[in-house]
Amino acid sequence: MIRKFKNQLFKLACLVSTGIGLGILILILFTLFQKGLAGMNLALFTEVTPGPGGEGGLLNAIVGSVIMTGIGILIATPIGILAGTWLAEYGQNSKTADSIRFLNGMLMSAPSILIGLFVYEIVVVTTGHFSGWAGAIALAIIALPVIISTTEEMLKLVPVQLREAGAGLGTPKWRVTLQLSYRAVGTGIVTGILLSIARISGETAPLLFTALNSSFMSVNPNEPMANLPVTIYQYAMSPYESWNQLAWSGALLITMAILLLNVMSRALPQLKKRRS
């Protein structure tokens, strides 16, 4: 009787905790939609950020965020996949691999503002100016541990028999990895890349120290670049209603983009299962 009561009490505590978490999420989404939808119009995507108290959009901030996120992922993806491959296929249980995993875990949990300060010191101070490149490098460092961990875990799921079959045909190990292992777990690796994009899309702190911001349209990574997270931060803290509205609309835009990426990361494995 007591055991049954404890079990029911534990289930009730789990349900209450789940309800609280979902309630907070629903409240956040409700507030974002309530405040942000009013500013969702064509001007938001076709006009650049306005001057103090003026009317405008977020075109330059959207373009800047896409450019820096894209460059960051292009930098992090090959490095992350190759590092994860070495950990899973070659390093395995070596002391070097254990050290890399430990450092990768530390990097994954490191505050993004510290990464921003690090890139500021090695890139911004060295070049003498803020730039989109510096912002992209900071985002790449944040995305890197996610891609490394995902690639390693996915490759560990490849059956040993598949590797042995390739080796039995006289195929070099690198070709077995490239043509068999990657093909078997490609969807999982892509899922990790999508999750890393979702993680870095809303980062503000590292961009404050690297890309800074700009009120103008710029597609040149050698210059300070406008971006959505910093623009939202600045506009949300301003006394102008038009800027506050743009901040809410930008926040809703980022939230929907991240939600879409997370849905895609969940849908890809399911699509692969149905096809197979």
Side-chain angles (χ1 to χ4, degrees):
M1 187 71 180
I2 296 176
R3 181 183 296 178
K4 186 175 181 181
F5 173 76
K6 289 181 178 179
N7 183 58
Q8 294 297 326
L9 185 63
F10 181 74
K11 287 174 64 177
L12 179 62
C14 291
L15 286 173
V16 171
S17 299
T18 302
I20 292 173
L22 287 175
I24 293 173
L25 177 61
I26 291 171
L27 184 60
I28 291 173
L29 290 175
F30 175 78
T31 304
L32 279 174
F33 276 102
Q34 184 185 38
K35 301 280 190 179
L37 279 178
M40 283 290 180
N41 49 45
L42 187 61
L44 187 74
F45 303 96
T46 58
E47 297 182 15
V48 298
T49 49
E55 299 291 334
L58 296 172
L59 176 62
N60 54 332
I62 295 171
V63 171
S65 287
V66 170
I67 291 174
M68 284 189 288
T69 301
I71 294 174
I73 289 299
L74 287 176
I75 294 172
T77 297
I79 298 174
I81 290 177
L82 290 175
T85 301
W86 185 85
L87 290 173
E89 300 288 342
Y90 300 95
Q92 296 173 340
N93 297 321
S94 67
K95 291 184 178 179
T96 303
D98 290 339
S99 299
I100 292 174
R101 292 188 188 99
F102 175 75
L103 293 174
N104 191 61
M106 288 185 61
L107 183 60
M108 188 178 294
S109 59
S112 60
I113 192 170
L114 294 182
I115 295 173
L117 284 170
F118 169 73
V119 177
Y120 171 82
E121 187 65 30
I122 65 170
V123 179
V124 177
V125 173
T126 303
T127 58
H129 62 88
F130 298 96
S131 67
W133 287 115
I137 291 171
L139 295 180
I141 294 174
I142 296 173
L144 190 60
V146 178
I147 299 176
I148 291 175
S149 297
T150 304
T151 302
E152 181 186 6
E153 293 304 318
M154 288 297 104
L155 288 175
K156 284 181 178 178
L157 297 177
V158 177
V160 177
Q161 293 81 358
L162 186 64
R163 296 186 177 92
E164 291 176 346
L169 295 173
T171 308
K173 189 172 183 178
W174 68 268
R175 190 177 289 275
V176 172
T177 301
L178 192 64
Q179 296 185 343
L180 296 179
S181 298
Y182 280 170
R183 187 172 296 179
V185 297
T187 303
I189 294 175
V190 172
T191 298
I193 295 171
L194 290 175
L195 290 174
S196 67
I197 295 174
R199 182 185 177 187
I200 66 177
S201 296
E203 287 291 348
T204 305
L207 297 182
L208 279 169
F209 294 97
T210 53
L212 197 60
N213 203 3
S214 174
S215 299
F216 307 99
M217 171 64 75
S218 175
V219 294
N220 183 4
N222 291 320
E223 302 174 353
M225 295 191 75
N227 55 89
L228 271 175
V230 176
T231 300
I232 292 169
Y233 167 73
Q234 292 177 341
Y235 281 16
M237 300 294 289
S238 75
Y240 307 107
E241 290 187 10
S242 59
W243 279 17
N244 294 157
Q245 182 59 65
L246 285 174
W248 280 111
S249 298
L252 178 60
L253 194 61
I254 283 183
T255 303
M256 291 298 100
I258 293 175
L259 180 62
L260 178 62
L261 287 170
N262 278 279
V263 170
M264 289 174 60
S265 68
R266 295 295 181 91
L268 280 176
Q270 299 300 323
L271 288 174
K272 184 179 179 182
K273 286 182 180 179
R274 291 180 181 179
R275 288 179 180 178
S276 59

